[in-house]
C-alpha cells in the first residue's frame, strides 16, 4: 500500500514538474522540508516520561517507518528536483537525539524493550 502511494506520488510530482514552471518545484521543496520539520519536531517534543514503555517503543517504530518512507521516495523526489539529503540527515539526527533522551527514561522505568 505504501509503495503504491509512493509510486503515485512520484508520478504526480513528475507530471507536475513537466506542466509547471520551476517556481512550483521550489514550493514543493519547501513543502517537503516543512513535513520533515514537523516530523522531527514531533519526535523531539515527545514527553517520554509520561509514556509507557510500549508507547515509547511505538513512537520510534512509527518514526522509523516515516523516515524509511521518505528515504525510499528520495530518488523520485531527486528526479523532481527536490534534494532530500539534508532532510534525511536532519531526520537521522533527530532520531539519535530523541533516542539519547528516551533511553535513560526507559532504563528508569525498567522497560524490556530496546530502541
Amino acid at each position: 500500500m505504501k509503495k503504491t502511494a509512493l509510486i503515485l506520488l512520484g508520478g504526480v510530482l513528475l507530471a507536475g514538474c513537466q506542466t509547471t514552471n520551476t517556481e512550483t518545484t521550489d514550493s514543493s521543496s519547501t513543502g517537503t522540508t516543512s513535513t520533515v520539520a514537523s516530523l522531527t519536531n514531533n519526535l523531539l517534543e515527545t514527553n517520554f516520561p509520561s509514556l509507557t514503555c510500549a508507547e515509547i517503543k511505538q513512537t520510534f517504530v512509527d518514526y522509523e517507518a516515516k523516515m524509511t518512507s521518505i528515504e525510499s521516495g528520495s530518488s523520485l523526489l531527486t528526479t523532481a528536483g527536490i534534494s532530500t539529503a539534508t532532510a534525511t540527515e536532519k531526520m537521522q539526527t533527530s532520531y539519535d537525539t530523541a533516542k539519547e533522551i528516551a533511553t535513560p527514561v526507559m532504563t528508569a522505568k525498567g522497560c524490556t524493550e530496546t530502541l
Side-chain angles (χ1 to χ4, degrees), residues 72-89:
S72 297
S74 66
S75 61
L76 291 173
L77 295 173
T78 301
T79 303
I82 300 170
S83 173
T84 58
T86 304
T88 301
E89 183 178 322

Side-chain angles (χ1 to χ4, degrees), residues 3-103:
K3 289 181 181 180
T4 303
L6 189 57
I7 291 170
L8 291 174
L9 173 64
V12 168
L13 285 172
L14 292 174
C17 290
Q18 293 175 353
T19 59
T20 61
N21 60 24
T22 57
E23 291 177 12
T24 303
T25 303
D26 291 341
S27 68
S28 295
S29 177
T30 303
T32 301
T33 302
S34 68
T35 300
V36 169
S38 174
L39 179 64
T40 57
N41 287 339
N42 287 343
L43 179 66
L44 294 174
E45 293 173 1
T46 302
N47 184 3
F48 292 112
S50 70
L51 301 176
T52 65
C53 296
E55 290 171 333
I56 293 171
K57 177 68 175 180
Q58 190 60 46
T59 299
F60 281 91
V61 168
D62 292 345
Y63 186 83
E64 288 173 342
K66 291 174 184 172
M67 192 167 68
T68 301
S69 176
I70 290 173
E71 288 173 349
S72 297
S74 66
S75 61
L76 291 173
L77 295 173
T78 301
T79 303
I82 300 170
S83 173
T84 58
T86 304
T88 301
E89 183 178 322
K90 182 175 182 176
M91 288 186 303
Q92 185 61 49
T93 301
S94 297
Y95 178 89
D96 294 340
T97 302
K99 186 176 177 181
E100 288 176 14
I101 296 167
T103 301

